[in-house]
Amino acid sequence: MSTDKQTVAKKYSSLKNRISVKNDFFSDIAFKNMLYAITVRSPIDRGIITSIFQETIPDGYYLFTARDVPGSNMLATPQGKISIFSEGNVSYKGEPIGILVGPDERTLIQIQQTLQINYDTNTIEDYLEPLNDEKAELSSPSSTQKKLKKGNNADHIEDVFSAAEYVTEHEWTYNLNTPYYREPQGAVAHFDGEQLTVYTPTQWISNLRNALCKTTLIDTDNIIINKTKSYDHTTNSIWYNSIISCQVAVAAYLTKSYVKLVYSRQEQEMFIDCMMPVHFNYKTAADKDGHLLAIKADIELDTGSNNLFANEIIDRLVIAACGCYSASNIDITANAKHSRKPPLSIDLQLLDSAAFFATENQINAISAVSGIDPIEIRKKNMIENHGDESSESEELYPAFFFAPKSLETIDALTNSSSFNRKYASYKLNSLARIRNGAKEFIASPNSAPLRGIGLACGFEGSFYYGSELYGSEQTLDVTLEENGTLTIHCSPISKPIQEIWTHLASDILGIPVSSVKINSNFETDNEPLLPESAHANISILIGLLKKCCESIKRRKPGSEIPYTVKKKLSLQEKKDWNTENYTGEPFHRSSFAVAFVEVEFDPCTFREIIREINIVINGGKILNSVAAENSVRLGIEKVLRSLVEDDMLECDNINISFVASDEEPTEIGKLVYQVLPAAYIGAISQAIGKEINRIPIKTDTLYKIIKTESEENNHAGFTTY
């Protein structure tokens, strides 16, 4: 749609000095005489851009680079500084080095294709003569490493493996990238000579305003941010949006026009949604009763260039590397390789799922070699079973995720389902096929269908105390207005959360639900300091909301109205987590889930059919069971879209249940991602009798495995069916 400047100015004239939340997509916003923008990117991954040249640029078209930025070209974040435009020394192929602006998008593309970008393949570092090799290595580290060792024999863990009854060693690769089909990143900006107005799906308001101020040298009071719809919580989106907005703001500032930049779907996938494989090498040892004696894990991943979250990413992987289990000895090493690729982007709340995928399949492997039931071996080693070992437990286990009733949750699954019977039956069928020597993979009228069932446990930790990003105090303020309404002032929250909050406040204060309002507009000097993803934390904010409402309820008679109460989660509460040696509680709260997936192999299509998904969740007190179940069901659908490349799995038989609890509600939205991938791979591996060690699989993965197995059997003189 198109809107003239006068109408827009009138519509937003009351928003001066404020952050406003709009129920629009920024990409749908258009203005009369608006200019369009595209990003000029580095054609090389290593070297120095020496010049960008275009012989003739038509009138009304502009090329802006770092030298045109009015203020600072550096964006400050808690983890370091990132340039708005590359100043020459390239970090990765595709790094922004400029922005083209003009009235016609097709012409912009033509200009972009004819730009002459000259460069030197040597980097600045190549020209700086290091004093010695050692100093050069220290000044430019190629990786970030974290190590964790716990247990009396951790320094001699190979001796533990040598003496153990059961030992398994496997490699696992996790590269799951859940498709969101969301709006690509971008921004619309306008500068009228005094005020800068920006429309963008920002998730970090305070960071964006500060960046715009330093980049354009416009006073914060003259910067208006209209936050549009956003659903993306990946790491690159948190900070990269500020870079894009600053690039567009620079163009708007210099042209005194409306400027709009929308990333293409290809740009979104290459520079924003950049998932890279996480590789695990696991070795585990157990005694004859199934108790874990040792866990040794080597974790490798590529975090790309200038990754602001590298430390937190590998911290979270180390914490989740043991899953929900205790072991007498632990030796974990996580390496984050830095490379000339775009920074790895991942939803930090989903990062644990990579470690759970490896851990849960490793537990299944121990169960297989020991013959101990997968339910029993999990319960024997569940952290909850060892949480009462006083101070000595802190020396044995790297972290305490506090998820009460985890054993009860597992029992709820087995008691309400046929998991035990099906697992035993499918295991016997698999053993019979191997024992008979035929190793039949294609079902015949005389054989049982090839089926498998996989189990997995996992927790979801909310508000990681070791995060540098969430270094500020988290706050919430609630106001009782003169007309009797209650206003909750917070960052934008989802409709299900809004419904929970309004009913909760209504119950505490005894006022109608219709009298409870959510206000997400902020004055310039009172906007949230944390990214939006932090404010979406239900376990923290519900606690703060309760405290605010209870304080209002206890206010003195005759207190001045409006009456505002502000509560906060202090940094002091983070003191129990030690980031140096990984001890204490790393999360504010944790939820827990156990799930199984049952599959059947289709001999006609060489594909799997999901027969059943069953998940039981302990998420504390469920305030809205319908919304909670819908959230979990939506999560299952999203995961099913990503388990197989270029295909979407379906399941009509999905069972979701919650453990009754009076504990404070916790996050449950990501639990499906923690347990479903591992359970799915476990089920397929049992069905075909062959270990699959990576996810996602491809549509022809099972066919290739069976074809290879059949060829080997024929070569050995066996007959396959």
Side-chain angles (χ1 to χ4, degrees):
M1 64 178 184
S2 179
T3 310
D4 61 40
K5 296 182 181 180
Q6 290 182 345
T7 303
V8 173
K10 182 177 179 181
K11 181 178 180 181
Y12 296 114
S13 61
S14 62
L15 298 178
K16 185 177 180 180
N17 303 339
R18 302 185 70 168
I19 173 73
S20 178
V21 177
K22 296 293 157 195
N23 193 31
D24 300 313
F25 291 103
F26 88 91
S27 55
D28 292 334
I29 297 173
F31 299 96
K32 188 177 180 180
N33 299 323
M34 184 173 70
L35 301 180
Y36 297 91
I38 59 175
T39 307
V40 178
R41 301 185 179 279
S42 167
I44 56 174
D45 62 359
R46 186 181 190 278
I48 303 170
I49 302 296
T50 57
S51 65
I52 307 175
F53 179 72
Q54 171 57 271
E55 204 168 295
T56 56
I57 293 183
D59 291 340
Y61 290 84
Y62 311 91
L63 170 63
F64 301 121
T65 63
R67 69 182 62 183
D68 300 302
V69 176
S72 173
N73 187 51
M74 302 301 293
L75 170 64
T77 76
Q79 293 81 16
K81 292 185 176 181
I82 298 293
S83 59
I84 305 299
F85 295 110
S86 172
E87 296 182 340
N89 198 35
V90 174
S91 299
Y92 59 90
K93 187 175 182 179
E95 184 177 7
I97 57 177
I99 185 172
L100 273 171
V101 180
D104 182 72
E105 291 180 273
R106 290 186 178 180
T107 303
L108 286 174
I109 294 174
Q110 291 173 356
I111 295 173
Q112 182 189 44
Q113 292 173 343
T114 58
L115 282 177
Q116 298 179 26
I117 302 176
N118 300 314
Y119 54 84
D120 183 344
T121 55
N122 293 312
T123 66
I124 290 177
E125 290 78 12
D126 292 332
Y127 289 108
L128 297 176
E129 293 271 344
L131 295 179
N132 52 61
D133 292 339
E134 181 181 358
K135 186 172 182 179
E137 183 179 349
L138 292 174
S139 64
S140 182
S142 59
S143 65
T144 300
Q145 186 181 87
K146 296 291 182 72
K147 285 180 172 288
L148 168 64
K149 285 190 177 184
K150 291 288 177 180
N152 296 330
N153 297 307
D155 289 328
H156 307 282
I157 201 165
E158 291 300 329
D159 294 339
V160 179
F161 288 118
S162 298
E165 187 78 16
Y166 304 110
V167 177
T168 59
E169 186 171 9
H170 299 269
E171 293 183 359
W172 311 98
T173 299
Y174 181 95
N175 194 25
L176 212 59
N177 190 10
T178 305
Y180 287 98
Y181 308 111
R182 50 187 168 242
E183 177 191 43
Q185 278 291 329
V188 179
H190 175 248
F191 181 62
D192 62 6
E194 180 182 0
Q195 289 185 345
L196 173 68
T197 304
V198 177
Y199 307 81
T200 189
T202 178
Q203 300 199 42
W204 200 354
I205 297 168
S206 63
N207 178 270
L208 173 56
R209 185 183 297 280
N210 184 58
L212 290 169
C213 175
K214 292 184 177 180
T215 302
T216 63
L217 299 180
I218 299 172
D219 189 80
T220 56
D221 289 340
N222 286 322
I223 295 175
I224 300 172
I225 299 174
N226 291 301
K227 175 185 162 37
T228 56
K229 280 186 178 180
S230 61
Y231 301 99
D232 187 2
H233 290 162
T234 57
T235 52
N236 282 1
S237 294
I238 293 174
W239 63 270
Y240 211 105
N241 172 268
S242 293
I243 288 182
I244 297 172
S245 298
C246 286
Q247 293 170 352
V248 178
V250 167
Y253 177 89
L254 296 172
T255 61
K256 303 296 188 296
S257 301
Y258 284 92
V259 178
K260 179 178 183 179
L261 185 150
V262 182
Y263 268 30
S264 67
R265 180 57 58 185
Q266 183 182 23
E267 286 179 303
Q268 180 76 16
E269 293 176 355
M270 291 181 65
F271 304 109
I272 304 297
D273 301 331
C274 314
M275 182 60 190
M276 300 181 204
V278 186
H279 302 285
F280 300 85
N281 189 308
Y282 265 77
K283 191 173 183 180
T284 48
D287 64 19
K288 61 182 179 60
D289 297 318
H291 295 108
L292 289 175
L293 301 176
I295 295 177
K296 187 176 187 296
D298 292 307
I299 307 170
E300 300 278 347
L301 75 158
D302 187 339
T303 56
S305 172
N306 299 326
N307 195 306
L308 301 178
F309 298 91
N311 283 319
E312 184 168 346
I313 287 171
I314 58 177
D315 274 347
R316 294 289 292 265
L317 286 172
V318 169
I319 291 169
C322 294
C324 310
Y325 312 106
S326 61
S328 300
N329 298 281
I330 296 168
D331 184 355
I332 299 170
T333 301
N335 280 295
K337 175 188 174 184
H338 307 316
S339 68
R340 292 188 175 275
K341 297 178 183 177
L344 166 71
S345 184
I346 193 168
D347 187 334
L348 291 172
Q349 291 180 287
L350 294 181
L351 186 60
D352 302 332
S353 62
F356 289 132
F357 170 72
T359 304
E360 290 300 307
N361 279 298
Q362 193 72 16
I363 294 295
N364 288 337
I366 281 281
S367 170
V369 299
S370 66
I372 300 173
D373 180 270
I375 292 286
E376 182 182 350
I377 199 167
R378 282 174 167 83
K379 292 174 70 173
K380 282 176 180 288
N381 294 286
M382 194 67 60
I383 288 179
E384 186 180 341
N385 253 344
H386 303 268
D388 57 353
E389 297 184 14
S390 67
S391 60
E392 183 181 353
S393 60
E394 290 197 11
E395 296 301 319
L396 297 178
Y397 318 126
F400 286 101
F401 79 95
F402 182 63
K405 300 185 178 180
S406 53
L407 298 177
E408 181 180 327
T409 306
I410 294 176
D411 288 338
L413 179 74
T414 55
N415 293 337
S416 63
S417 70
S418 55
F419 173 82
N420 287 331
R421 177 181 61 80
K422 288 181 176 179
Y423 176 81
S425 174
Y426 299 160
K427 182 179 179 180
L428 288 174
N429 288 341
S430 178
L431 292 174
R433 290 196 301 271
I434 296 174
R435 185 170 56 250
N436 291 337
K439 291 189 178 181
E440 55 198 32
F441 282 98
I442 308 303
S444 69
N446 299 320
S447 66
L450 300 184
R451 293 176 181 170
I453 192 165
L455 182 78
C457 298
F459 65 82
E460 179 182 351
S462 59
F463 201 90
Y464 171 52
Y465 286 144
S467 175
E468 296 176 358
L469 181 63
Y470 301 155
S472 302
E473 295 177 338
Q474 188 153 357
T475 62
L476 184 73
D477 59 90
V478 178
T479 301
L480 182 63
E481 310 288 356
E482 293 180 356
N483 60 1
T485 62
L486 189 78
T487 301
I488 303 172
H489 205 202
C490 64
S491 289
I493 55 177
S494 65
K495 287 185 177 179
I497 299 299
Q498 288 186 34
E499 185 178 343
I500 291 173
W501 285 21
T502 53
H503 279 84
L504 180 63
S506 170
D507 291 342
I508 294 175
L509 295 173
I511 60 176
V513 172
S514 59
S515 296
V516 183
K517 309 297 182 184
I518 306 293
N519 181 6
S520 296
N521 294 329
F522 291 89
E523 298 291 341
T524 303
D525 58 354
N526 194 36
E527 56 200 16
L529 296 177
L530 298 179
E532 184 179 314
S533 56
H535 290 269
N537 191 307
I538 185 174
S539 65
I540 292 178
L541 292 182
I542 280 186
L544 296 179
L545 177 59
K546 282 183 176 180
K547 291 179 181 179
C548 288
C549 291
E550 287 166 355
S551 294
I552 290 175
K553 186 176 183 180
R554 295 193 303 266
R555 76 189 189 282
K556 294 180 180 179
S559 299
E560 184 178 348
I561 301 293
Y563 186 86
T564 300
V565 175
K566 187 173 186 176
K567 297 293 182 181
K568 63 184 179 181
L569 175 72
S570 172
L571 294 177
Q572 186 65 21
E573 297 188 35
K574 301 171 69 174
K575 69 181 187 308
D576 291 335
W577 171 244
N578 188 318
T579 56
E580 296 298 323
N581 58 13
Y582 295 97
T583 56
E585 288 193 30
F587 305 110
H588 177 256
R589 284 191 179 276
S590 296
S591 52
F592 177 81
V594 58
F596 72 72
V597 174
E598 181 188 2
V599 302
E600 179 175 330
F601 177 75
D602 187 331
C604 297
T605 63
F606 287 88
R607 290 295 307 278
E608 73 284 13
I609 301 169
I610 299 182
R611 291 170 50 86
E612 181 180 359
I613 294 174
N614 198 315
I615 182 169
V616 180
I617 292 172
N618 170 27
K621 186 175 182 179
I622 303 299
L623 301 176
N624 186 327
S625 58
V626 174
E629 182 171 335
N630 287 340
S631 175
V632 174
R633 196 172 295 275
L634 178 62
I636 291 174
E637 291 178 2
K638 287 182 177 180
V639 174
L640 291 179
R641 294 178 197 163
S642 58
L643 296 174
V644 180
E645 289 184 15
D646 302 322
D647 197 8
M648 184 176 71
L649 300 178
E650 296 179 349
C651 179
D652 296 326
N653 186 12
I654 298 175
N655 301 296
I656 301 168
S657 55
F658 301 93
V659 175
S661 175
D662 291 325
E663 298 288 337
E664 290 290 332
T666 58
E667 302 291 325
I668 62 172
K670 309 297 184 182
L671 279 171
V672 170
Y673 300 85
Q674 319 292 44
V675 295
L676 210 57
Y680 165 76
I681 288 297
I684 294 180
S685 297
Q686 186 187 55
I688 66 173
K690 196 78 172 177
E691 180 185 280
I692 297 176
N693 66 350
R694 62 178 56 241
I695 200 166
I697 64 172
K698 297 182 179 180
T699 53
D700 61 350
T701 294
L702 302 186
Y703 169 75
K704 288 182 176 179
I705 291 175
I706 291 168
K707 181 182 178 182
T708 300
E709 192 75 18
S710 298
E711 290 173 350
E712 292 176 354
N713 290 340
N714 286 332
H715 182 71
F718 295 129
T719 302
T720 58
Y721 299 91

